[in-house]
Amino acid sequence: MEEIKEQNNRLFLLLSIMIMEFSNAKTESDILQGLLNLVRKVVDIKEVVLVDENKRKIWGRDIDIKRFEEFIDWSIRQSNPVFVEDELGYVGIVPVVKQDRMFGSLIVLLNHQPSMEETEIFKVLSFLSAVVLENIKLYRELEETYNYVNVILNGLPEGIFVYSNGEIKFQNEKFKEENFPDEVLRKAISLSEEAISLRTQRVGEVISGEEFFSITSIPLILGSEVQALTIVENVTESKELERLKRIDRMKTEFIANISHELRTPLTAIKAYAETIYNSLGELDLSTLKEFLEVIIDQSNHLENLLNELLDFSRLERKSLQINREKVDLCDLVESAVNAIKEFASSHNVNVLFESNVPCPVEAYIDPTRIRQVLLNLLNNGVKYSKKDAPDKYVKVILDEKDGGVLIIVEDNGIGIPDHAKDRIFEQFYRVDSSLTYEVPGTGLGLAITKEIVELHGGRIWVESEVGKGSRFFVWIPKDRAGEDNRQDN
């Protein structure tokens, strides 16, 4: 019993010394030096050499390792120390192994043959050293991985942060430096919370002043905990570049389109005029009248195109002018409806007018410009009707709302896709469809229409469903509210 108690005391002392020696160890060299100091306190040894799993010396003095290769292999297979007598004295081979993971071997040079107790001490030291070495390697790998990820995240041009439990756990250098506006940060936090609660990616955009910010929040599922990796990017330059490219592309398309639009009536006018000139004596009065009607019709079309271009020029110079006067809108709408009926009839489209309020409906407007708005909307309703559909119609509904006049132009045509509803009022924009290329137009009509309505202090918007038709709403104040003082130059 006394002998067992003494062994236990010695083992306890050994472990205590080991903890003290290893407590400040940060590298393999620190561990090995601590190991050597520990072994020397309990066992009479001359030297310790550490070799790696490939039998290359990584610590200790130079010795001829090849002499011990067979013993090293045998000790590793047995996972037990091997002690042999040598000209240097006794040599111990102690494998540093943990759960079949090989860290290397200790070659211990002793002055005597080790006792069973000392052999067990070497086993314990070998195992504990393997544990510490494994932990140091894992720590180093984690540290290297952390530094590697840090370098990547800090090198990115986007601001990145990790959000969890109501606070930001990590932020890269870009996020710290950028000083994002408060509304951007609020949106980023909101999307982060959504990503965590819904466990799905959330995307958003914020406009702050003249800057655009893109935000993407991705859920990070770490066991039972969910965090959010959120990316905030100032995309103002790319948005502006995208906008300029789009405008440039639309201008190119516009030039090609307007060239075609101008050439068509000019070609017709020239052809019929030449025919009349070359065959004047041979044409009867009826044929001559028919040819002249075509020339007049194409001249009117050409005049409308030129007027539209002039209006666009004024719009660009912010000099589009309106001249208000008191007008009965019932008469104005009837005039526009009557003007479009012949064109609508050629497309088998009925043009209707109804008023939800008693006529007259009076307002201070520019009658020429509002008639232009009505004709443009009615024209579009006719041009974009379904080709072979029965009972095609375009209808103008007159109403009053919020102290102003509400004009609704409704059709049962092809409709407008959702993605195009916000863009149809842009200059040059035409909805990309097969019918678009068959329908004449410059892509300026709705942009000019919107400008005219807004000059009256009003607003215009659209409701539409593809395949079912569209409803354009024009609201204009009855009085002179919002009167614009810009003059035509």
Side-chain angles (χ1 to χ4, degrees):
M1 288 293 293
E2 288 297 325
E3 185 178 346
I4 295 174
K5 185 176 180 180
E6 184 180 348
Q7 287 180 352
N8 288 338
N9 288 337
R10 289 192 66 186
L11 183 58
F12 178 77
L13 177 62
L14 181 66
L15 291 173
S16 299
I17 296 171
M18 183 175 183
I19 291 171
M20 291 177 63
E21 290 287 346
F22 289 176
S23 60
N24 296 318
K26 292 183 179 179
T27 65
E28 288 92 338
S29 295
D30 293 340
I31 291 291
L32 295 170
Q33 189 60 54
L35 175 63
L36 177 60
N37 295 338
L38 178 60
V39 172
R40 279 178 171 161
K41 289 178 181 178
V42 293
V43 181
D44 183 18
I45 63 169
K46 293 190 291 185
E47 193 63 72
V48 173
V49 177
L50 175 66
V51 296
D52 63 18
E53 59 269 30
N54 297 313
K55 303 182 186 68
R56 292 174 301 195
K57 188 200 79 169
I58 57 176
W59 191 81
R61 73 179 181 88
D62 292 330
I63 60 171
D64 186 6
I65 298 172
K66 289 184 178 180
R67 294 170 52 198
F68 308 109
E69 284 185 351
E70 291 184 11
F71 297 111
I72 291 172
D73 292 336
W74 191 88
S75 70
I76 290 171
R77 287 196 299 271
Q78 298 298 318
S79 296
N80 276 313
V82 175
F83 293 92
V84 294
E85 190 172 3
D86 186 83
E87 59 191 31
L88 300 173
Y90 280 90
V91 179
I93 309 297
V94 184
V96 181
V97 181
K98 179 178 177 289
Q99 294 180 341
D100 297 327
R101 183 176 178 185
M102 179 67 184
F103 290 93
S105 297
L106 289 171
I107 301 175
V108 185
L109 306 180
L110 302 98
N111 292 317
H112 64 283
Q113 185 176 2
S115 65
M116 290 293 293
E117 180 185 350
E118 289 173 331
T119 302
E120 290 302 315
I121 288 172
F122 280 123
K123 286 182 180 180
V124 172
L125 292 175
S126 171
F127 173 76
L128 293 177
S129 298
V131 170
V132 177
L133 284 170
E134 181 183 46
N135 288 337
I136 284 179
K137 284 190 176 182
L138 287 173
Y139 174 79
R140 183 173 294 168
E141 288 171 4
L142 285 173
E143 192 173 42
E144 289 174 355
T145 302
Y146 175 81
N147 291 335
Y148 178 70
V149 172
N150 240 8
V151 169
I152 292 175
L153 292 177
N154 287 327
L156 292 174
E158 302 89 1
I160 297 174
F161 68 88
V162 176
Y163 182 85
S164 176
N165 296 324
E167 63 178 333
I168 293 176
K169 303 287 187 180
F170 166 84
Q171 50 189 318
N172 72 344
E173 293 300 324
K174 182 66 174 180
F175 188 82
K176 295 175 186 176
E177 296 168 0
E178 189 67 21
N179 194 23
F180 292 105
D182 290 342
E183 59 265 38
V184 175
L185 294 177
R186 284 195 296 270
K187 183 66 173 179
I189 295 297
S190 174
L191 289 175
S192 300
E193 290 174 345
E194 288 180 19
I196 291 171
S197 62
L198 300 174
R199 297 196 174 201
T200 186
Q201 179 175 307
R202 306 297 292 162
V203 177
E205 282 193 349
V206 177
I207 301 174
S208 178
E210 296 183 354
E211 293 185 305
F212 292 83
F213 296 88
S214 172
I215 304 171
T216 303
S217 190
I218 304 165
L220 301 176
I221 301 174
L222 309 170
S224 59
E225 184 183 6
V226 183
Q227 298 182 352
L229 175 69
T230 303
I231 304 163
V232 184
E233 184 180 7
N234 188 327
V235 293
T236 304
E237 290 185 5
S238 59
K239 280 277 187 182
E240 181 64 16
L241 181 61
E242 180 185 334
R243 188 184 71 85
L244 291 173
K245 284 183 177 179
R246 187 174 72 246
I247 289 174
D248 188 56
R249 185 172 62 252
M250 290 165 66
K251 282 183 176 180
T252 302
E253 292 173 358
F254 167 74
I255 291 170
N257 187 47
I258 198 65
S259 299
H260 171 75
E261 290 293 317
L262 291 171
R263 187 183 296 112
T264 300
L266 283 172
T267 301
I269 291 169
K270 182 181 178 183
Y272 279 90
E274 285 179 348
T275 302
I276 293 172
Y277 178 79
N278 294 327
S279 310
L280 186 59
E282 303 171 9
L283 296 174
D284 58 64
L285 190 61
S286 175
T287 304
L288 182 61
K289 183 180 179 181
E290 181 184 336
F291 282 13
L292 289 173
E293 284 176 350
V294 171
I295 291 174
I296 291 170
D297 181 64
Q298 292 301 315
S299 296
N300 289 335
H301 178 55
L302 188 58
E303 183 182 22
N304 290 334
L305 285 173
L306 293 174
N307 285 336
E308 200 166 79
L309 289 173
L310 286 172
D311 283 341
F312 168 65
S313 174
R314 296 185 184 106
L315 190 152
E316 284 286 281
R317 291 184 285 118
K318 303 295 182 185
S319 62
L320 196 63
Q321 179 185 8
I322 61 170
N323 298 304
R324 292 175 184 267
E325 60 183 83
K326 194 174 185 179
V327 176
D328 178 10
L329 277 160
C330 290
D331 290 343
L332 189 65
V333 172
E334 285 182 354
S335 170
V337 167
N338 290 331
I340 203 74
K341 274 187 176 179
E342 186 177 346
F343 174 64
S345 179
S346 67
H347 288 73
N348 297 316
V349 177
N350 291 319
V351 185
L352 309 170
F353 168 49
E354 66 180 54
S355 179
N356 293 337
V357 291
C359 291
V361 179
E362 295 181 332
Y364 283 93
I365 60 170
D366 183 328
T368 303
R369 291 301 184 184
I370 294 301
R371 189 173 188 271
Q372 182 181 348
V373 167
L374 288 166
L375 287 173
N376 184 60
L377 295 176
L378 287 167
N379 258 295
N380 286 346
V382 172
K383 289 190 294 186
Y384 292 99
S385 59
K386 297 177 188 174
K387 280 186 177 179
D388 302 319
D391 302 323
K392 296 186 288 185
Y393 71 87
V394 179
K395 179 164 61 177
V396 182
I397 303 168
L398 195 59
D399 209 339
E400 293 181 345
K401 181 181 180 181
D402 299 332
V405 180
L406 183 64
I407 304 170
I408 304 170
V409 180
E410 175 183 302
D411 66 66
N412 60 348
I414 62 173
I416 302 167
D418 287 339
H419 72 269
K421 287 178 186 176
D422 293 332
R423 297 194 58 199
I424 57 173
F425 297 105
E426 294 179 8
Q427 298 169 7
F428 314 120
Y429 183 77
R430 303 188 79 197
V431 179
D432 187 14
S433 70
S434 58
L435 185 58
T436 298
Y437 300 103
E438 300 175 18
V439 175
T442 60
L444 294 174
L446 285 175
I448 295 169
T449 294
K450 182 173 182 287
E451 179 75 4
I452 292 171
V453 172
E454 290 179 349
L455 283 174
H456 281 81
R459 60 185 185 276
I460 183 171
W461 68 97
V462 64
E463 294 177 359
S464 184
E465 187 173 345
V466 174
K468 293 189 176 181
S470 305
R471 300 185 89 205
F472 283 84
F473 297 82
V474 176
W475 180 88
I476 301 171
K478 279 188 171 185
D479 56 19
R480 295 174 179 271
E483 184 167 5
D484 194 277
N485 296 318
R486 283 181 282 180
Q487 297 299 312
D488 195 2
N489 295 326

